[in-house]
Amino acid sequence: KQVVVSNGAKQAIANVFAQNQADVLIATGIMSSQLLANQPAFPVPSMASIQVNNNTITDVKSSGIPNFTYLNSPFNIKYGIEKLQEICRGKKLAVLTDANLLAIGTSREKQYADIETQIEWLALETDLSTTVSKISADVEGVYILSSLANYKADEIALFFEEINERKLPSFTL
C-alpha cells in the first residue's frame, strides 16, 4: 500500500507515522517535503519529492538518514536569483512566493548572503494586482517562485501586464 501526502500535511505525516500501516510515505510539493525532511525519525520508509537546500541532507546520493530519501529539486532558487540579477543588473530583486512558503525563503536568507543584490521576499496575495502594488519602487526585477496554479489565466495575464508596465524583468519556475 502506498500513501501519498500532499501540501499542508503536518498532521497527515504524524498520523501515517503513528499508525505505521503504510509501506511508504511520499511527500509532494515543497512544503510537505520540507515538513517530512524535518521529522526526527522515520518509522515508515519516506521520500520527499522536492528538496531545496535542506540542511539534513549531507550526500547527493543518499540522505544518510535511515528510512528517508529524497529527490533533488529540479530548480535552484539561488541560481535563479543570480541569473535574474545578472540579466537586470539590479541592486534589489523581489521574490514572490506562496504565503505558506514565505517562511522557508526568509528562514534561509543566509544561503543567499553572497548574492550581490538585496532580496525582498513577498507573499503572493489572493488578488495578484495587490501583490504587484506591494513590490517596492526600488525593486529592479521579479522572481516568481510559484506555479501560479491557483489563479485564473486572465488574472495571470493581468499580473504580468502590470509587472511589464513597471518595466520589471521577471521569470518564474
Side-chain angles (χ1 to χ4, degrees):
K1 176 169 120 177
Q2 179 177 345
V3 177
V4 178
V5 179
S6 61
N7 287 336
K10 189 174 188 174
Q11 188 59 50
I13 291 169
N15 291 343
V16 169
F17 283 177
Q19 295 168 8
N20 201 8
Q21 295 179 344
D23 293 328
V24 64
L25 171 65
I26 301 171
T28 61
I30 294 172
M31 195 66 164
S32 60
S33 290
Q34 184 71 41
L35 289 169
L36 182 61
N38 289 338
Q39 297 301 307
F42 300 88
V44 173
S46 304
M47 180 171 72
S49 65
I50 297 175
Q51 288 300 288
V52 181
N53 300 323
N54 190 308
N55 294 333
T56 63
I57 297 171
T58 58
D59 185 314
V60 295
K61 295 179 184 170
S62 167
S63 69
I65 301 168
N67 263 354
F68 178 68
T69 192
Y70 62 94
L71 299 176
N72 279 321
S73 172
F75 54 89
N76 181 322
I77 297 168
K78 183 177 177 183
Y79 179 78
I81 291 170
E82 290 172 333
K83 286 298 156 191
L84 180 59
Q85 193 275 333
E86 184 181 311
I87 291 166
C88 68
R89 292 175 174 49
K91 292 187 177 18
K92 186 173 182 181
L93 302 176
V95 177
L96 310 181
T97 189
D98 181 270
N100 294 323
L101 303 178
L102 190 62
I104 292 174
T106 56
S107 70
R108 297 183 181 276
E109 284 183 329
K110 288 183 259 173
Q111 293 175 355
Y112 311 111
D114 60 339
I115 296 176
E116 297 178 13
T117 190
Q118 182 182 354
I119 302 170
E120 177 177 276
W121 291 86
L122 295 170
L124 287 163
E125 301 289 333
T126 305
D127 174 12
L128 288 173
S129 292
T130 303
T131 302
V132 174
S133 70
K134 289 186 175 187
I135 299 171
S136 299
D138 58 345
V139 164
E140 298 172 280
V142 178
Y143 183 178
I144 298 112
L145 187 57
S146 170
S147 67
L148 302 176
N150 295 329
Y151 301 95
K152 295 177 184 170
D154 59 333
E155 294 172 312
I156 295 169
L158 180 60
F159 171 68
F160 281 108
E161 190 175 302
E162 290 174 356
I163 287 175
N164 290 338
E165 284 175 11
R166 288 193 51 188
K167 300 192 183 321
L168 293 173
S170 64
F171 70 87
T172 184
L173 298 173

